[in-house]
Amino acid sequence: MLFHKIELVTILIGAVLLFTGCSDKNDQELYRTIRNDSNRFKALRNTEKATFRTGTDDEVVVLVSYLPDRGVEHEEFILAGTPKKTIATIVLGNSRLNGQPPLSSRALSTKQLPGGLRGNIPPWFAIYKVSYPKISARRLSLLLQLDGEKKTLFFYKIPKYLVK
């Protein structure tokens, strides 16, 4: 019995040493990058993509980023996409957050984007900052509609695993 306990402890210590002491230099660099660029990754964690097919073979691409905890009385999102005229149509009349229409929207340049999104949205995309009424729910559903096609994107105010 004592032999089994010693064997188990030896295996556990070996596993800990294997995972901590023998990590690859590339892995260590990756962890360092993630730790140093955590704000950029945090912004991307709240970003979703939707694509719409138009009557032609073209696609409309929409990137939506939720800006949580901005200390304001409304919910803020960045909607970006291409082609520019189509994105304006979606922003101005064909989007709903938990059934509520937008309160306001304004066009942005890539220089006006929050830091975490600045390098991740292409400069040829149309970019809008859109405000919706404050929602008390933990899960936000943003409905985008274009030519009868609907896409629903989900965002969370807390980690997803805490939402039922």
Side-chain angles (χ1 to χ4, degrees), residues 142-155:
L142 183 65
L143 175 70
L144 304 174
Q145 184 174 342
L146 180 64
D147 297 333
E149 185 179 358
K150 297 179 182 181
K151 302 283 182 170
T152 303
L153 305 175
F154 296 101
F155 299 91

Side-chain angles (χ1 to χ4, degrees), residues 12 14 39 52 66 74 76 85 93 95 114-115 118 120 123 125 135 140 151 155 159 163:
L12 289 174
N39 286 336
F52 295 92
Y66 174 52
H74 48 271
E76 290 185 336
K85 290 180 184 178
S95 66
R118 195 166 291 135
N120 295 302
F125 274 30
I135 306 291
L140 305 174
K151 302 283 182 170
F155 299 91
V163 179

Side-chain angles (χ1 to χ4, degrees), residues 29-47:
E29 182 62 32
L30 177 65
Y31 297 139
R32 213 178 351 263
T33 301
I34 289 172
R35 188 174 50 246
N36 293 340
D37 292 343
S38 64
N39 286 336
R40 185 173 63 124
F41 291 118
K42 190 181 293 184
L44 291 177
R45 209 174 41 219
N46 294 316
T47 300

Side-chain angles (χ1 to χ4, degrees), residues 1-162:
M1 178 105 167
L2 180 63
F3 179 71
H4 292 293
K5 287 183 181 180
I6 293 173
E7 186 177 276
L8 180 63
V9 169
T10 305
I11 291 172
L12 289 174
I13 290 173
V16 168
L17 290 175
L18 178 68
F19 288 118
T20 58
C22 300
S23 61
D24 187 57
K25 287 189 178 194
N26 291 336
D27 291 343
Q28 292 174 0
E29 182 62 32
L30 177 65
Y31 297 139
R32 213 178 351 263
T33 301
I34 289 172
R35 188 174 50 246
N36 293 340
D37 292 343
S38 64
N39 286 336
R40 185 173 63 124
F41 291 118
K42 190 181 293 184
L44 291 177
R45 209 174 41 219
N46 294 316
T47 300
E48 297 290 335
K49 178 181 118 179
T51 56
F52 295 92
R53 288 260 184 228
T54 59
T56 63
D57 289 334
D58 295 334
E59 278 187 339
V60 175
V61 177
V62 183
L63 297 176
V64 183
S65 294
Y66 174 52
L67 304 174
D69 304 326
R70 302 292 282 191
V72 292
E73 297 296 319
H74 48 271
E75 307 292 351
E76 290 185 336
F77 288 83
I78 300 291
L79 272 78
T82 186
K84 292 183 177 189
K85 290 180 184 178
T86 307
I87 300 305
T89 302
I90 291 173
V91 168
L92 298 176
N94 295 326
S95 66
R96 300 274 186 268
L97 180 66
N98 288 26
Q100 301 292 320
L103 297 172
S104 65
S105 65
R106 69 181 177 98
L108 298 177
S109 70
T110 53
K111 293 176 183 176
Q112 295 172 313
L113 285 169
L117 297 173
R118 195 166 291 135
N120 295 302
I121 295 179
W124 60 86
F125 274 30
I127 305 167
Y128 290 88
K129 184 175 190 177
V130 185
S131 298
Y132 294 91
K134 190 74 170 171
I135 306 291
S136 61
R138 294 177 178 175
R139 178 179 165 186
L140 305 174
S141 62
L142 183 65
L143 175 70
L144 304 174
Q145 184 174 342
L146 180 64
D147 297 333
E149 185 179 358
K150 297 179 182 181
K151 302 283 182 170
T152 303
L153 305 175
F154 296 101
F155 299 91
Y156 299 88
K157 293 184 177 185
I158 60 174
K160 288 181 187 179
Y161 62 85
L162 296 175

